Structures are given as C-alpha cells and as structure tokens.
Amino acid sequence: MLIEAWQFILAHPDRFFAALLRHVELSAAALVIAIALAVPAGIAFAAKPRAALAAITLANAGRTLPSLAVLALVMPVLGTGFAPSLFALALLALPPILINTCTAIRQVDPDIVDAARGMGMSRAEIVKGVEVPIASPVIFAGIRTAAVQVVSGAVLAAYIGGGGLGDFITAGIAMMALPQLFVGAVPATLLSIGTDQLFGRLQKSMTPKGLRA
C-alpha cells in the first residue's frame, strides 16, 4: 500500500505539494491567530482572579469539543472554504494557549513581582520584563499542544472545503482506495510528529537548565 501511495505522489506531484502547502498554511495561520489572541488575553485575565477562573473554565469546556464538531458548527455561519476552516482551527488552538498563559502568569512568584514594583517598574514593564520571561516555558507548552492539535485537526478541514492533506483521506475513504488514503494520512501523521518534536525542542531551549527534565 505504501509503495502504491508513493507511486501516486510521483504521478501527481503538483497536486500533492499543493495540498501539503495548503495544510501547512492553514495550520500556521490558525496558530498565529490563536497566539495573538490567547496570550494577551491570558495575561490580562491573570491579573483578575475571578476573570482568570472564568476564562480557564470556559477554555476547559472548549477543549472538550470534538474538532469535527467545531468545523460543523462554523460551516452554517461562514460557509465552506479556507476562511471558515481557519476560523475553526484558530478556535481549537485558543484553549490550551489561554489556559497555560493564564496559569503561568499567576504562578510567578509574588515576591519577584513586588521586588520589580519596588524598583519603580510600571505594570507593563513588569509583565514584559519579569512575568512573561519567567512564564514563557509554560506558555510555550500550551502553544506546543495547540500546534499539534491544529496540524492534526487541519485534516478535517477537507470536510468543509478547506483543502489540505485531508482531501486525499476523504477521497480515499469515499472510493475505498487505501493508497490514496495513505497519501494524506501518512504525511499528516509525520507532520504532526515533526511539529511536536520541533516545538518540544524550542520549549526545551526556553526552559532554564535547572528545570529541565
């Protein structure tokens, strides 16, 4: 089957690489949007205990939603194509980043924050120069989780016309053509594993040596 899948790729290289590029573009764009929204929101919520609890509770509820269900809920409102898929995947990426950001900022030692405040640092300076650097390994762990979820979930975007490697999987299932299914499934799996490894290395590089496992 794998040999036949490889032969399919060799016979349709333009089609395969276009789908791969769309998959990467969709995943990367969704992750960037989620980071841009969730990290500032998590920092803001962390300063308010009640808001932090509400945000974490809501985000945890969001994490229980199946990826395909989110895509299905978006389709009646936004239709099909790249934009609805991007919106849905960004929603899937928000909870882990928001939860980790909020939790990490709240776990920064209050004595360190008080010392920075005593040195005359403003709230913005404390956040940028003290809290975020200390919390960054935990924040990045949330980004790593979100990245893997998005790359995996992007396969389902094919069901609402988002394109990507999921097109080969859905076509393979519809036609009972296992080689074509593998053309989408194997690269998508390798892409997810590679994403996890890449972000894992980045996370490790951001973690102080004394705290590394």
Side-chain angles (χ1 to χ4, degrees):
M1 293 295 179
L2 291 176
I3 294 176
E4 292 179 34
W6 177 246
Q7 290 174 340
F8 181 93
I9 294 173
L10 293 178
H12 307 87
D14 293 341
R15 182 180 169 190
F16 172 76
F17 286 109
L20 178 61
L21 180 60
R22 171 58 67 92
H23 197 103
V24 173
E25 287 176 343
L26 187 59
S27 301
L31 184 62
V32 168
I33 291 172
I35 293 172
L37 294 175
V39 171
I43 293 172
F45 289 142
K48 303 173 182 178
R50 289 185 179 180
L53 178 60
I56 291 174
T57 301
L58 184 61
N60 276 321
R63 296 183 73 172
T64 64
L65 294 174
S67 302
L68 188 57
V70 175
L71 291 166
L73 290 172
V74 167
M75 187 170 61
V77 179
L78 299 178
T80 60
F82 184 89
S85 301
L86 177 62
F87 181 79
L89 289 172
L91 284 180
L92 289 173
L94 283 172
I97 302 175
L98 180 62
I99 291 171
N100 278 43
T101 300
C102 195
T103 302
I105 295 295
R106 288 181 58 81
Q107 288 179 344
V108 174
D109 191 339
D111 291 337
I112 297 177
V113 176
D114 288 339
R117 190 177 295 113
M119 294 172 62
M121 296 178 69
S122 66
R123 176 57 187 164
E125 290 173 335
I126 292 173
V127 170
K128 184 177 179 180
V130 179
E131 292 181 338
V132 171
I134 293 174
S136 59
V138 177
I139 294 174
F140 206 84
I143 294 174
R144 176 185 179 183
T145 300
V148 175
Q149 288 181 348
V150 166
V151 171
S152 301
V155 170
L156 300 174
Y159 286 100
I160 61 171
L165 295 170
D167 282 345
F168 295 113
I169 297 175
T170 55
I173 293 174
M175 298 185 296
M176 295 300 292
L178 288 180
Q180 190 166 346
L181 188 152
F182 284 173
V183 168
V186 173
T189 301
L190 294 177
L191 198 58
S192 296
I193 294 172
T195 299
D196 181 61
Q197 293 297 313
L198 173 61
F199 278 80
R201 290 180 180 275
L202 291 173
Q203 180 186 347
K204 186 175 181 180
S205 69
M206 298 174 67
T207 305
K209 292 183 178 181
L211 298 178
R212 295 179 185 177

